[in-house]
Amino acid sequence: MIFTHLRVHQIFGANTDVGKTIFATILSLANATQGKRVFYLKPVSTGAPWDADDTHVKKYRPKGALISTKCLIQMDEPVSPHLAARSAKKVISDDLLLRQVREHLIECSKDMHISGDLDAAYLETAGGVLSPVPSGTTQADAYRPLRHPVVLVGDSKLGGISTTLSAYEALNSRGYDINSVVMFVNDRYRNHQYLEEWFASRGIKLLAFDPPPPPPPGRNHTKDEMNMKEYYAHTSTTANATSLIDYLDGCHSIRLSTLQSLPQRASRTLWYPFSQHKTITSQNDITVIDSAHGDFFTTTSIPTTTEPSQTLISGSQFDGSASWWTQGVGHSHSHLTATAAYASGRYGHVIFPKIAHEPAVSLAESLLHTQGKDWASRVFFSDNGSTGMEVALKMALRWTARLYDECSKDKRDFQVLGLSGSYHGDTIGAMDACEGGIYNSAVEWYKGRGFWLDPPTLGFEKRELRLRIPWSDESLVFDSLPDAYNIPDRQKTTMGELYRTYIQKEITKLVQNGTTFGALILEPLVLGAGGMKFVDPLFQAILVDVVRSMSGVLLPPRPKANESDPMPTLPVIFDEVFAGLGRLGFPSISPVLGVKPDIAVYAKLLTGGLVPLAATLASQHIFEAFLGDDKRSALLHGHSYTAYPVGCAVANTSLRLLQEMVRGESFRTAQMDWGIVAEPSQTYPATSYPPRTKPHQFACSLWSQRFVKELSDLPIIKRAMALGTVLAFELDDGFTVSGYGSTAAERLLSSLKTDTCAPPNEFSVHFRTLGDVGYLITSLTTEKPLIRRLEANLLHILEARSRRI
């Protein structure tokens, strides 16, 4: 939380008993001495109330000083908060704790000093940086969504250098700004001398203060209190204390000015992706993100007035596009950031040709045993989904070319077979594998190299799950989502025959017209950037089957070495950059379709959205196409950061988390909501579906069935669909421009970015649109109550718009 006229600092300690409360008192008194208002907050306290830290600050508050004190959660047993909560049988979640902190700070900001001076709030933690809050979460993690600047109280005792540096590393790795370090002078150990130089090299100010007087003999409480009053009166007015207050005020001012200058600086220097800069007409068109955590951005706004009444300039904004589809476990996940820190400390980056390092080998093994189970044998690493697809294309085309080389040395102009609306990336080769559209047609080097079939799609219309076929009057309504994804049963229907006949006819016609195909490329289940089209999985399954059965038509005749050799088939590439790794609720997609690819590409969720990385999996026969006696026959492709050890290490952790979540309670609850009898929680290999469970039984969504049907019934909605974490809806608002070129969804949903949901956790929604298609994507960790609030807010906006048409 960032306020203009209220500077908030969180006081963490390198350990327990290092003087946090004493320094909180010094800081409060020093601020009050300057005539400023001070708000002291102890979020959690254990032990007798009369001995509590807020009581201590209040006791030494001079008469008339503008110092308010507050403790939010008080538990009598003098033990760690998590034990005290357990003993008192209190359930105090992190959300509840943070909500109370936010509410209190907002109230403080409304009770500002009328002069408009910069006032201060100090939040004192309990114990050390990694001591637990009542829920058991460490303090550094629990308070991270607030990300208040830190005053770290160092340890002046023996061993204190180590504990102080460890505390700093724990906070720094979680994204906290440590503005200053304070500690007591200890002439014997002189920790402050070493630490002052160490922190100075990192631009952090350390100030050492004389310690308080020792307690007088004989437990003379009156004398002790008198000594402390004198200590505070003197210490709070020293040059150290005064300069510390001025320094913290300066840090706050620099933070504000930096954040408020970002839009103007960005508009002068940045070239944004997928953005028409002519539409950026004011600073308000640029969203400033101070930090991100979980499902939310912390965004800042420019105040329209200097009045203290407009003091809160930060807000929470739900990341509705999962940051361009990269987020699966939430922003700044502590397991991922810790893994990244370890790998960067162990490796940094190392060159990869003929190199083996543990993160890359482990990741390759994990991918082969999960996504590539029973078909893939090799993994090639690159930087992102587009480059991963470039690699896939090179692999597939080389394999096909070698078949033709055996018959003729003429170089072939290979085409790809795909689906209309597909998107495989922005690099030249990946663009050429897509039909002409708004993404690529304006690119001077673009040359569409393929043919793209119009796929049948699924979606809810007027509360019914309906199949639409663009080249046929046939239609079909399904009783449930699992029914639509039950490929084994649907294979036997007349719809399957209709698809098979259509595909065979189109391929035969193309080949007869001279088209030579090098690969089949599919985005399984959902065409992401092409408009969030949920393709009928039966169509994709039959397409793969037909392509493989038509080898005699699609590939040159080739004599078998012996009768047991399998007939070569056109390589099949699965682009799972968007749909893979659990985003759609399936542990893996190949079993859903009942067909295996020859090559598959994974990115985005692969690293949980922390660092760029892509992996292209290939079968053994594809790999063998690059074996030869000279280097020219090798796959001569690579990137400087191929198999980046930090990315590979993070991906290993990310995959483990994703696998746990897809099989976790949230998806089991979602299965029941969508009418699926979920398997009880059990242990089974990450490489497979649960025993006695068919892949189509995972066809559900974290978005509720009731909500999706209600959405589809609105006059303004042409179609709505949800699967896994993805919700998409096509608008029918009478706009003349349709498709990606439309601004319908952007205009219609604009209030999501400005309106906030009801207290206590106010937030807006950051979103991206695809022309006349709106969509929202949660992470796999987004909690059910939050999704229900998003549903209610979206329905409210769309219902209001529907009433106006």
Side-chain angles (χ1 to χ4, degrees):
M1 303 182 76
I2 307 170
F3 302 87
T4 54
H5 293 79
L6 179 65
R7 166 176 64 77
V8 182
H9 275 88
Q10 189 141 14
I11 300 175
F12 278 98
N15 207 337
T16 190
D17 196 30
V18 293
K20 293 189 301 297
T21 305
I22 292 173
F23 279 109
T25 307
I26 292 171
L27 288 166
S28 298
L29 293 173
N31 271 99
T33 300
Q34 298 180 6
K36 299 177 181 179
R37 184 138 198 178
V38 182
F39 303 92
Y40 169 87
L41 176 64
K42 183 77 173 184
V44 180
S45 180
T46 60
W50 59 264
D51 196 31
D53 295 336
D54 59 308
T55 303
H56 181 95
V57 177
K58 188 185 301 182
K59 178 192 297 184
Y60 295 106
R61 174 183 61 191
K63 187 175 181 179
L66 299 175
I67 301 175
S68 301
T69 64
K70 178 76 172 179
C71 177
L72 296 176
I73 299 169
Q74 169 69 43
M75 294 175 287
D76 293 338
E77 190 173 0
V79 293
S80 177
H82 74 292
L83 295 176
R86 190 181 304 166
S87 178
K89 294 182 171 53
K90 288 188 175 182
V91 178
I92 305 169
S93 68
D94 294 344
D95 285 343
L96 174 62
L97 174 61
L98 294 185
R99 183 166 71 243
Q100 292 190 30
V101 171
R102 288 190 183 101
E103 290 173 348
H104 179 74
L105 289 176
I106 289 173
E107 287 303 311
C108 292
S109 72
K110 295 175 181 177
D111 191 19
M112 301 295 298
H113 193 195
I114 58 173
S115 68
D117 287 340
L118 178 60
D119 293 337
Y122 297 107
L123 279 67
E124 183 188 339
T125 57
V129 165
L130 298 180
S131 296
V133 295
S135 69
T137 305
T138 69
Q139 292 187 113
D141 291 317
Y143 291 115
R144 170 57 184 80
L146 303 176
R147 211 186 79 87
H148 289 132
V150 171
V151 174
L152 175 61
V153 180
D155 190 345
S156 60
K157 301 184 291 295
L158 181 64
I161 291 175
S162 177
T163 57
T164 302
L165 296 183
S166 296
Y168 166 79
E169 294 290 352
L171 292 168
N172 185 64
S173 67
R174 287 166 171 79
Y176 286 94
D177 295 331
I178 294 89
N179 283 173
S180 181
V181 179
V182 295
M183 62 188 306
F184 295 128
V185 173
N186 186 312
D187 290 329
R188 180 178 182 185
Y189 300 119
R190 292 173 294 196
N191 292 353
H192 63 286
Q193 294 178 1
Y194 177 89
L195 290 170
E196 183 177 12
E197 183 178 345
W198 192 93
F199 280 109
S201 68
R202 288 153 178 80
I204 298 173
K205 187 182 185 73
L206 183 146
L207 290 171
F209 290 73
D210 288 334
R219 296 185 178 180
N220 189 333
H221 297 298
T222 302
K223 177 65 174 175
D224 185 36
E225 189 171 321
M226 184 182 303
N227 289 345
M228 289 302 297
K229 282 184 178 179
E230 292 176 358
Y231 171 78
Y232 283 133
H234 167 72
T235 306
S236 63
T237 56
T238 59
N240 260 7
T242 302
S243 67
L244 178 57
I245 296 301
D246 292 342
Y247 181 75
L248 296 178
D249 287 351
C251 290
H252 178 76
S253 297
I254 291 171
R255 185 186 190 194
L256 287 183
S257 62
T258 298
L259 291 170
Q260 292 172 5
S261 71
L262 284 177
Q264 186 177 31
R265 290 160 58 194
S267 64
R268 289 198 308 259
T269 57
L270 299 181
W271 193 335
Y272 285 112
F274 293 100
S275 303
Q276 176 49 261
H277 276 252
K278 257 195 150 178
T279 64
I280 302 175
T281 59
S282 74
Q283 295 187 47
N284 291 329
D285 293 327
I286 296 174
T287 300
V288 176
I289 297 178
D290 177 65
S291 63
H293 188 273
D295 289 312
F296 292 93
F297 301 141
T298 297
T299 60
T300 60
S301 58
I302 300 172
T304 57
T305 174
T306 58
E307 292 298 318
S309 58
Q310 188 177 358
T311 181
L312 178 62
I313 65 165
S314 67
S316 292
Q317 198 168 59
F318 179 79
D319 181 5
S321 69
S323 278
W324 260 346
W325 319 341
T326 62
Q327 298 300 314
V329 298
H331 293 278
S332 308
H333 195 288
S334 60
H335 292 186
L336 299 187
T337 56
T339 298
Y342 168 78
S344 62
R346 180 178 175 184
Y347 296 102
H349 178 58
V350 296
I351 194 171
F352 198 59
K354 300 181 182 179
I355 297 293
H357 56 72
E358 189 272 335
V361 174
S362 293
L363 178 56
E365 291 172 339
S366 177
L367 287 169
L368 293 175
H369 293 158
T370 53
Q371 306 307 315
K373 182 177 172 60
D374 295 333
W375 68 267
S377 69
R378 300 284 171 162
V379 178
F380 190 100
F381 291 113
S382 58
D383 296 354
N384 55 62
S386 185
T387 57
M389 282 302 298
E390 294 277 348
V391 174
L393 285 165
K394 287 185 177 181
M395 290 176 176
L397 297 180
R398 170 69 63 85
W399 187 90
T400 305
R402 288 190 61 169
L403 291 184
Y404 283 90
D405 288 345
E406 295 175 7
C407 304
S408 170
K409 295 301 180 184
D410 294 338
K411 196 170 183 67
R412 297 280 174 160
D413 182 18
F414 289 116
Q415 307 289 299
V416 299
L417 183 62
L419 299 183
S420 179
S422 297
Y423 170 85
H424 304 296
D426 298 320
T427 51
I428 293 294
M431 282 197 303
D432 280 357
C434 307
E435 68 176 332
I438 195 167
Y439 291 112
N440 49 23
S441 291
V443 177
E444 285 69 19
W445 272 14
Y446 170 72
K447 180 183 177 182
R449 301 172 185 270
F451 183 84
W452 297 272
L453 304 172
D454 285 326
T457 55
L458 296 166
F460 283 89
E461 302 173 23
K462 304 303 178 186
R463 297 179 178 266
E464 292 182 330
L465 180 57
R466 185 173 293 275
L467 172 68
R468 295 286 184 185
I469 305 173
W471 35 265
S472 173
D473 294 332
E474 293 282 344
S475 182
L476 185 65
V477 173
F478 294 98
D479 292 333
S480 69
L481 208 55
D483 285 348
Y485 288 86
N486 187 346
I487 303 304
D489 285 357
R490 291 188 60 206
Q491 286 271 16
K492 309 163 189 174
T493 63
T494 56
M495 191 63 69
E497 283 306 309
L498 177 69
Y499 289 167
R500 191 174 300 275
T501 301
Y502 166 77
I503 294 167
Q504 289 172 340
K505 179 181 175 182
E506 291 296 318
I507 290 176
T508 301
K509 180 172 62 177
L510 289 165
V511 173
Q512 288 175 347
N513 289 336
T515 304
T516 303
F517 287 106
L520 168 65
I521 306 180
L522 297 177
E523 289 180 83
L525 304 187
V526 180
L527 307 183
M532 292 295 168
K533 297 176 181 176
F534 290 76
V535 180
D536 184 2
L538 177 64
F539 183 80
Q540 291 187 321
I542 289 178
L543 176 56
V544 174
D545 184 54
V546 169
V547 164
R548 285 178 169 161
S549 68
M550 294 184 69
S551 293
V553 175
L554 288 166
L555 297 173
R558 181 184 184 227
K560 293 184 179 182
N562 57 68
E563 289 301 320
S564 63
D565 285 349
M567 178 67 73
T569 57
L570 193 72
V572 175
I573 302 172
F574 279 6
D575 177 353
E576 297 194 42
V577 171
F578 172 73
L581 304 178
R583 185 189 305 282
L584 302 182
F586 300 108
S588 57
I589 290 178
S590 177
V592 180
L593 295 177
V595 293
K596 299 180 176 68
D598 301 289
I599 304 166
V601 181
Y602 303 90
K604 295 192 183 294
L605 286 187
L606 184 59
T607 63
L610 192 65
V611 290
L613 186 72
T616 303
L617 277 61
S619 61
Q620 183 64 20
H621 69 275
I622 296 292
F623 172 70
E624 289 174 354
F626 291 84
L627 300 180
D629 296 327
D630 60 15
K631 194 170 185 177
R632 286 187 306 171
S633 56
L635 178 53
L636 300 181
H637 188 106
H639 302 267
S640 300
Y641 281 84
T642 296
Y644 180 39
V646 176
C648 291
V650 169
N652 281 311
T653 301
S654 175
L655 288 179
R656 176 178 56 79
L657 293 172
L658 292 169
Q659 290 162 3
E660 292 172 358
M661 292 167 191
V662 169
R663 298 176 293 170
E665 185 61 33
S666 292
F667 274 97
R668 284 198 297 273
T669 301
Q671 287 171 353
M672 289 185 283
D673 174 60
W674 285 87
I676 304 166
V677 179
E679 288 286 329
S681 178
Q682 57 184 299
T683 300
Y684 57 91
T687 59
S688 63
Y689 286 77
R692 301 181 304 282
T693 300
K694 303 298 183 182
H696 68 271
Q697 292 178 277
F698 274 70
C700 67
S701 177
L702 297 181
W703 301 91
S704 72
Q705 181 175 195
R706 176 198 56 78
F707 160 73
V708 176
K709 289 183 176 180
E710 285 184 17
L711 191 65
S712 74
D713 206 24
L714 295 177
I716 201 172
I717 299 298
K718 185 181 296 184
R719 213 172 197 201
M721 184 63 176
L723 190 63
T725 65
V726 181
L727 167 74
F729 46 94
E730 184 180 356
L731 299 174
D732 186 11
D733 198 29
F735 291 98
T736 56
V737 179
S738 61
Y740 189 81
S742 169
T743 60
E746 181 75 25
R747 284 181 286 164
L748 185 63
L749 301 177
S750 59
S751 58
L752 280 175
K753 286 187 177 179
T754 54
D755 294 349
T756 57
C757 299
N761 291 322
E762 295 182 348
F763 64 87
S764 57
V765 179
H766 185 277
F767 63 87
R768 298 284 300 179
T769 59
L770 294 165
D772 56 359
V773 173
Y775 70 89
L776 290 175
I777 301 176
T778 70
S779 65
L780 278 74
T781 55
T782 306
E783 296 183 351
K784 182 178 177 180
L786 174 55
I787 298 176
R788 297 296 91 87
R789 291 179 65 191
L790 289 166
E791 292 173 350
N793 207 32
L794 187 60
L795 272 177
H796 173 75
I797 291 171
L798 294 176
E799 284 172 345
R801 178 65 184 182
S802 293
R803 287 193 291 269
R804 294 199 295 269
I805 62 172

